[in-house]
Amino acid sequence: MSDHNYVPSTKLGKWFNDRLPLLSLSAHLSEYPTPKNLNYWWTFGGILTFCLIAQIVTGIVLAMHYVAHADLAFESVEHIMRDVNYGWLIRYIHANGSSMFFLAVYIHIFRSLYYGSHKSPREVIWIIGMIIYFLMMMTAFMGYVLPWGQMSFWAATVITNLFSAVPLIGESITNWLWGGFAVDSPTLTRFYALHYLFPFLILGLVILHIWALHIPGNNNPVGIDVKKPSKDTVPFHPYIVIKDLFALLVFLTLFAFFVFYSPNLLGHPDNYIEANPLVTPTHIVPEWYLLPFYAILRSIPDKLLGVVAMFASIFVLVILPWLDTSKIRSAVFRPLYKQFYWILVLDVLVLGYMGALPPEGIYLLIARIATAYYFIHFLVILPVLGFKEKTIPLPLSISEPVLNESHEAVNNNKMSTE
Amino acid sequence: MSDQKKPKRRDFLFTASYTIGAVGVGAAVWPLIDQMNPDASVKALASTEVDISSVEPGKSITVLWRGKPVFIKRRTEEEIAEARAVKLDELKHPEKDEDRAKNPEWLVMVGICTHLGCVPLGDKGDYNGWFCPCHGSHYDTSGRIRKGPAPVNMEIPKYEFVNSNIIKIG
């Protein structure tokens, strides 16, 4: 961060900056050299920051009206929807906001996988990102429990019961998590407390994520190291800021579509029925963004191994920088990896779809094949591919392919005019 | 310099300080962890008495005990016969029906699927017992797991017949 010597222009600014270099930090952020070839897949970092802030702001507002007690929670959510001024809007933004947050984070993660942003020297950025992703899933799950509808209650029951698979101490762990012998009011209050805490932990990790990013600088679609600052970079402000804002605007259009035109499309009608510990809804499914993991859980016929496989599917992502042995970052120069990448995308989509269907017959079989492939991709294909694949030669700089193309374009023009 | 490997007075002080510090931190953290365990008011609701005089043969009722559903099923002759006819080596979790139902007519068990805690549906599934809609576990007329991901049979709580009409659970 101290790679430039910023001197504030005013005397007051200099006085303050000598004592707390906030102005230097802001100058660093604004001048931060960014590869000039970043495409729109790189705008999701900014979009995600927006999502986090939006969730925190709407969440704090909702907390002013919500009551975390098994007898009152469901009613207080209805109170927010019907009585509180703009309560419906704030709650719908918060509820759909979590879906939009996950949509953006999945694009962000798959962007990294395609362009190799998880590879050296960016492993720590990637691992912090995976911790953020894991905390996001926990936060979203606990938030989903708060309205205390049928889906809330049974999601809480099923997910906390995952820990009962632990040998010997499983039951003690679940009783400790519940504060009782089943999911009940004590469970709800502690989930509320943690649901309020976790977004701030995520915020802290986001700061570390960006800090770690600013050490090597951004990866880029070509995936080669960029000299910075140089002809290959542009300052973050205004170039990237404006581009990010434009992308955010497009993203917000989709967001607004959900909030205003189909606010319950991504939810489940059963969650408008108050929690009832005596009746399990006939078809319980988690929110869409957790479905692939749910499919992995259900595709293993053994309880403990199912839980292990589900957590392992996240853990393989954490150690990905060492599983992916190829030195070439971008899939643009890896013809085979590019194909396996799209098969993985398809595989995860299939897993998600199977997670929403009942685990019977052909669906179960497909889910099992997709689960097996998921692990094969990370544990077999990626390590082997790094040694076997014949990659396309890398350009010397990110300008080179662009300049060559424009040279050719100029030549072509000349030829056509002649 | 040669006697550097010999533990000194200072090493002893360091080790002793770390040990006392670790014990102190542990003691301070324990209340913060233990507060999440079931509290006194939850534990106080340990037993429930249920009147079963109105349950017809073949029917079952569900009552709440410690926040969990408990099935009290009055089994028919066929259901009892079916449960008792099963050989133990066919079972994933071998338990005799005689050990699960003290009084063969009444099956009292915690109505929670041992997989991930859903409430199974009665008179459903491939074994005429219970079927869990969440992840497809099938239980027989004795509440034993026969097919699906659940690892063990549905739990039998501690209960006793106070008289022929009242069951005390817990």
Side-chain angles (χ1 to χ4, degrees):
Chain A
M1 284 238 230
S2 52
D3 51 341
H4 60 93
N5 296 309
Y6 169 77
V7 181
S9 52
T10 64
K11 234 182 159 181
L12 178 67
K14 197 175 172 316
W15 178 88
F16 183 81
N17 204 48
D18 285 344
R19 281 149 186 83
L20 180 68
L22 275 185
L23 295 172
S24 288
L25 176 65
S26 125
H28 161 81
L29 291 176
S30 136
E31 291 161 16
Y32 172 65
T34 321
K36 64 182 178 185
N37 60 339
L38 297 190
N39 56 33
Y40 273 102
W41 300 113
W42 259 265
T43 58
F44 283 86
I47 288 171
L48 284 162
T49 312
F50 170 84
C51 286
L52 178 62
I53 302 299
Q55 290 303 86
I56 289 177
V57 171
T58 52
I60 289 171
V61 173
L62 288 172
M64 296 178 185
H65 304 280
Y66 172 77
V67 185
H69 186 282
D71 298 337
L72 302 169
F74 187 82
E75 227 168 276
S76 76
V77 172
E78 284 308 302
H79 163 72
I80 289 169
M81 294 301 288
R82 291 154 197 262
D83 304 336
V84 174
N85 300 330
Y86 291 106
W88 59 272
L89 177 65
I90 294 158
R91 176 165 173 261
Y92 276 153
I93 291 174
H94 195 74
N96 286 283
S98 76
S99 279
M100 301 312 290
F101 203 162
F102 274 95
L103 175 67
V105 91
Y106 281 126
I107 295 174
H108 194 63
I109 291 171
F110 274 104
R111 195 281 331 269
S112 293
L113 292 178
Y114 189 82
Y115 293 112
S117 303
H118 52 281
K119 292 188 199 188
S120 173
R122 296 184 181 81
E123 302 96 322
V124 172
I125 312 174
W126 170 260
I127 290 171
I128 294 171
M130 283 297 122
I131 299 171
I132 292 173
Y133 173 51
F134 192 67
L135 283 180
M136 273 176 67
M137 289 198 280
M138 288 177 66
T139 311
F141 157 68
M142 290 191 288
Y144 191 58
V145 173
L146 301 185
W148 211 240
Q150 270 290 66
M151 281 296 176
S152 301
F153 183 89
W154 292 101
T157 300
V158 168
I159 300 297
T160 51
N161 261 304
L162 292 178
F163 294 94
S164 70
V166 177
L168 301 176
I169 52 166
E171 200 185 331
S172 313
I173 296 178
T174 50
N175 286 349
W176 177 72
L177 287 173
W178 294 331
F181 303 101
V183 172
D184 210 333
S185 225
T187 325
L188 178 60
T189 41
R190 64 192 55 182
F191 276 21
Y192 182 48
L194 296 176
H195 183 71
Y196 209 123
L197 167 71
F198 278 24
F200 295 98
L201 296 183
I202 293 175
L203 183 62
L205 285 166
V206 166
I207 292 170
L208 292 184
H209 192 63
I210 296 171
W211 185 1
L213 168 71
H214 280 227
I215 304 300
N218 288 73
N219 184 29
N220 64 78
V222 180
I224 57 172
D225 291 329
V226 175
K227 255 201 198 145
K228 47 173 194 159
S230 71
K231 274 185 181 169
D232 282 344
T233 65
V234 290
F236 187 77
H237 183 74
Y239 296 95
I240 303 295
V241 170
I242 291 298
K243 189 170 178 172
D244 278 2
L245 282 176
F246 176 70
L248 178 62
L249 216 59
V250 175
F251 184 79
L252 284 178
T253 312
L254 180 68
F255 198 148
F257 167 79
F258 280 113
V259 170
F260 292 106
Y261 291 96
S262 50
N264 290 306
L265 184 70
L266 301 168
H268 299 288
D270 274 331
N271 222 26
Y272 282 100
I273 303 167
E274 193 169 359
N276 178 357
L278 293 180
V279 182
T280 306
T282 47
H283 188 49
I284 63 166
V285 281
E287 292 282 81
W288 68 268
Y289 40 81
L290 302 177
L291 285 173
F293 300 107
Y294 193 61
I296 291 174
L297 169 76
R298 295 194 309 184
S299 68
I300 312 265
D302 182 84
K303 180 174 168 179
L304 178 60
L305 290 180
V307 175
V308 168
M310 191 182 75
F311 284 105
S313 65
I314 301 168
F315 185 70
V316 290
L317 291 174
V318 177
I319 56 168
L320 176 66
W322 294 275
L323 293 174
D324 189 346
T325 50
S326 176
K327 295 272 179 284
I328 308 298
R329 295 196 191 103
S330 175
V332 173
F333 304 101
R334 301 183 62 189
L336 280 177
Y337 174 73
K338 197 190 269 180
Q339 294 174 27
F340 285 117
Y341 170 86
W342 288 111
I343 297 173
L344 178 73
V345 172
L346 186 70
D347 186 64
V348 172
L349 291 176
V350 166
L351 275 174
Y353 190 53
M354 290 304 129
L357 294 171
E360 299 159 357
I362 185 77
Y363 304 138
L364 188 58
L365 182 70
I366 295 173
R368 282 182 179 162
I369 294 169
T371 300
Y373 185 79
Y374 179 89
F375 286 103
I376 289 170
H377 175 89
F378 288 106
L379 298 175
V380 180
I381 295 175
L382 286 190
V384 173
L385 208 56
F387 298 107
K388 297 279 176 199
E389 188 175 27
K390 199 168 174 336
T391 55
I392 297 168
L394 293 172
L396 291 171
S397 75
I398 59 174
S399 309
E400 193 196 325
V402 184
L403 290 177
N404 282 350
E405 265 170 40
S406 57
H407 277 271
E408 277 164 27
V410 171
N411 288 340
N412 288 344
N413 278 347
K414 271 184 192 163
M415 280 163 74
S416 59
T417 44
E418 275 169 11
Chain B
M1 287 306 250
S2 59
D3 60 350
Q4 237 189 3
K5 279 191 182 146
K6 250 169 94 184
K8 288 184 186 164
R9 198 174 100 93
R10 190 137 297 259
D11 295 325
F12 170 76
L13 287 174
F14 276 141
T15 309
S17 313
Y18 289 143
T19 310
I20 296 294
V23 171
V25 169
V29 166
W30 177 245
L32 298 174
I33 294 173
D34 190 44
Q35 53 82 24
M36 278 175 70
N37 273 317
D39 63 31
S41 71
V42 172
K43 284 185 187 157
L45 303 169
S47 67
T48 310
E49 291 197 356
V50 188
D51 182 356
I52 53 168
S53 56
S54 58
V55 184
E56 303 281 333
K59 300 283 174 200
S60 81
I61 55 169
T62 307
V63 296
L64 261 192
W65 170 66
R66 290 176 150 187
K68 296 177 182 187
V70 172
F71 295 154
I72 302 177
K73 165 105 181 179
R74 187 168 181 182
R75 298 191 294 183
T76 60
E77 290 298 328
E78 299 87 70
E79 283 168 337
I80 298 168
E82 198 181 329
R84 306 226 149 162
V86 180
K87 287 193 195 112
L88 280 188
D89 52 6
E90 288 172 29
L91 297 171
K92 188 172 177 182
H93 176 200
E95 271 187 323
K96 281 189 192 162
D97 185 60
E98 286 84 343
D99 297 334
R100 290 178 60 81
K102 292 175 201 169
N103 175 349
E105 198 180 2
W106 295 97
L107 178 65
V108 181
M109 66 180 178
V110 177
I112 290 183
C113 179
T114 56
H115 182 225
L116 293 175
C118 297
V119 180
L121 305 168
D123 297 317
K124 288 244 166 69
D126 297 353
Y127 297 89
N128 302 320
W130 285 265
F131 171 70
C132 181
C134 293
H135 309 97
S137 291
H138 297 256
Y139 296 88
D140 66 13
T141 55
S142 187
R144 294 174 294 200
I145 178 67
R146 301 300 291 273
K147 190 174 145 190
V152 293
N153 302 336
M154 278 195 266
E155 184 193 342
I156 306 290
K158 201 175 143 229
Y159 69 92
E160 60 186 46
F161 286 86
V162 175
N163 56 46
S164 57
N165 287 334
I166 307 271
I167 293 181
K168 185 180 164 201
I169 306 168

